[in-house]
Amino acid sequence: MVEQQTQTPAAAPLPRLDFIDALRGLVIALMVLDHTRDFVNRQAFLFDPLDLDKTSVALFLTRWVTHLCAPTFVLLSGVSIFLQAHRGKTGWPLSRFLLTRGLWLIFLEITVVDFGFDFRPAIFLQVIYAIGLSMVLMSAVVHLPRRVVLGLGIVLVAGHNLFDGVDAATLGAWGLPWHLLMQPGVLPFGFIAYPVLPWFGVMCVGYGIGGIYLMEPSHRSRTLALLAIGALLLFFVLRLPNLYGDPRPWTVPADASLTPLAVMSVAKYPPSLDYVLVTLGISTLIGLALGRAPAWLLKPFLAFGRTPMLSYLLHIYLAHTFAVIIAQFYGVPAAHFIGTLSDPSRLRADGWGLSLWGTYAVWLAVLVVLYPMAKAYARYRATHKRWWLSYL
């Protein structure tokens, strides 16, 4: 069962925590940057922006900062599940909601999301799939005590790197389950980038620390700050001597001045322990800073953060469509943007792509178009109580 304090019907109503919405909105904006770069940046079709032998510092940081998105989103999903339980949605009603919403997210991933990336039917299992399947799993574990869920999350996040050497190709019939659980790769029906177990661990951790968000504000801020600083310190303790926590030990690059970037270049697919520590440490500190930011600065982040699913879905189509329109001025056929997720070779042959500064300009344009839609939908959600609103 969920711990007693999450079941008490007399629990005081919990005010909406704006800094959580603002942080969620910030990572939505960073996701827009990442996917806009995928569609319009020249280098995106040529090499990995984290490849220190080819990239620039600006391009590296543009890609690296978007690493904050997925773990923050998944952690906050776990926190939100705990807060729902605190508000009184416990037992079967909570499990049913998590199960149905999780299955809905998986459906959206393999239909609306993947079509938006490829402009044709495709199956590419990414972050929405990982969140959806994690929610399906959470529908079972929310009946356990919160500390047990937290412990499970820590074991999954910290322990999965023990199995880095296991290759699905050597497992025969067990190869497909291993890909779905632990190792990205090609599937008989598509590709998986986000195997679920490490991400489920992050969601369990979010659920497990959810009680911190019920603390008095100053106590909550101190506790979150200590956790964030502790995560960053542990990252450096593990990462600098290459002790544990990432399948790719760092080495001094050919340009020694890029050594700090080599240290920070950690594995996202699947998310290594080092990756989770550094990204969540940084994003937690950013969230605390957003809690002190002026209201005018928070407006767009709050709009995106209160409509995360709609904002996510719309931005893919906006960024992809912007790329198609802009490319027409460079003589690139629109048809070459069909199937780009699976095979960008035609765009590479076209020489398509904008500079990094051009990429940032398109990113801002996407946000400008997206903001009024997110704002209007956030206002609608705040004034209407429809069951389907919790699914979009």
Side-chain angles (χ1 to χ4, degrees):
M1 297 293 291
V2 180
E3 285 187 335
Q4 184 62 36
Q5 67 263 32
T6 67
Q7 299 178 357
T8 304
L14 184 65
R16 192 169 187 100
L17 300 175
D18 283 350
F19 79 98
I20 294 179
D21 289 332
L23 180 56
R24 188 183 290 115
L26 174 62
V27 300
I28 287 289
L30 292 177
M31 281 185 183
V32 177
L33 172 61
D34 196 31
H35 297 146
T36 300
R37 181 188 58 80
D38 286 336
F39 292 126
V40 307
N41 180 244
R42 183 179 302 117
Q43 290 91 343
F45 302 100
L46 301 177
F47 57 82
D48 180 356
L50 299 180
D51 184 346
L52 293 178
D53 292 328
K54 299 178 180 179
T55 193
S56 65
V57 173
L59 181 59
F60 179 97
L61 294 177
T62 298
R63 170 58 176 143
W64 195 94
V65 73
T66 64
H67 277 355
L68 302 180
C69 301
T72 303
F73 214 83
V74 175
L75 184 87
L76 292 180
S77 294
V79 172
S80 295
I81 293 169
F82 171 83
L83 295 178
Q84 288 184 67
H86 176 78
R87 292 186 177 104
K89 183 185 284 186
T90 60
W92 169 241
L94 180 58
S95 288
R96 180 179 57 196
F97 171 74
L98 293 174
L99 177 62
T100 55
R101 191 167 198 268
L103 293 174
W104 170 242
L105 292 181
I106 294 171
F107 173 77
L108 287 178
E109 176 73 89
I110 63 178
T111 54
V112 180
V113 174
D114 288 347
F115 188 88
F117 276 110
D118 231 24
F119 276 1
R120 69 178 183 184
I123 295 182
F124 192 67
L125 304 179
Q126 302 181 83
V127 66
I128 300 302
Y129 157 82
I131 293 175
L133 188 50
S134 294
M135 285 186 171
V136 171
L137 298 175
M138 283 294 295
S139 70
V141 303
V142 290
H143 297 280
L144 299 173
R146 182 161 55 92
R147 291 182 181 178
V148 174
V149 179
L150 176 60
L152 173 62
I154 291 172
V155 168
L156 291 174
V157 171
H160 79 88
N161 286 117
L162 293 171
F163 301 92
D164 287 339
V166 179
D167 187 352
T170 67
L171 299 179
W174 293 99
L176 177 58
W178 190 254
H179 273 308
L180 294 174
L181 294 175
M182 292 285 285
Q183 182 184 342
V186 177
L187 306 175
F189 48 82
F191 186 88
I192 182 167
Y194 284 72
V196 71
L197 278 188
W199 296 106
F200 174 56
V202 174
M203 187 175 289
C204 287
V205 170
Y207 179 86
I209 66 171
I212 295 173
Y213 293 81
L214 302 179
M215 294 177 176
E216 181 272 330
S218 61
H219 189 194
R220 178 181 65 220
S221 296
R222 286 194 300 270
T223 303
L224 289 174
L226 288 173
L227 282 176
I229 293 169
L232 292 173
L233 289 175
L234 181 56
F235 165 77
F236 287 112
V237 167
L238 295 175
R239 183 65 172 162
L240 289 178
N242 284 319
L243 285 179
Y244 174 75
D246 199 273
R248 303 178 307 196
W250 69 273
T251 57
V252 177
D255 183 351
S257 67
L258 300 179
T259 298
L261 302 186
V263 173
M264 299 296 286
S265 185
V266 285
K268 178 182 180 180
Y269 306 104
S272 68
L273 171 61
D274 288 351
Y275 169 92
V276 171
L277 289 171
V278 69
T279 54
L280 289 182
I282 291 173
S283 69
T284 299
L285 293 178
I286 292 174
L288 293 175
L290 288 173
R292 299 174 178 272
W296 63 266
L297 180 62
L298 294 181
K299 283 184 177 181
F301 298 142
L302 289 173
F304 299 143
R306 289 170 179 167
T307 60
M309 193 68 252
L310 183 71
S311 294
Y312 185 88
L313 295 175
L314 289 176
H315 95 268
I316 298 170
Y317 286 84
L318 286 172
H320 203 164
T321 300
F322 271 46
V324 173
I325 293 173
I326 295 170
Q328 303 313 297
F329 294 94
Y330 293 84
V332 177
H336 287 190
F337 285 87
I338 299 174
T340 55
L341 184 67
S342 307
D343 180 14
S345 59
R346 290 182 299 174
L347 292 178
R348 190 182 300 121
D350 292 330
W352 158 249
L354 305 178
S355 68
L356 188 58
W357 293 114
T359 301
Y360 273 95
V362 177
W363 169 56
L364 292 175
V366 173
L367 291 179
V368 167
V369 174
L370 183 61
Y371 172 61
M373 293 187 284
K375 182 180 178 182
Y377 184 57
R379 186 184 304 115
Y380 181 86
R381 290 189 65 175
T383 55
H384 294 76
K385 302 301 179 184
R386 304 280 194 272
W387 66 269
W388 54 269
L389 290 174
S390 60
Y391 289 83
L392 185 60

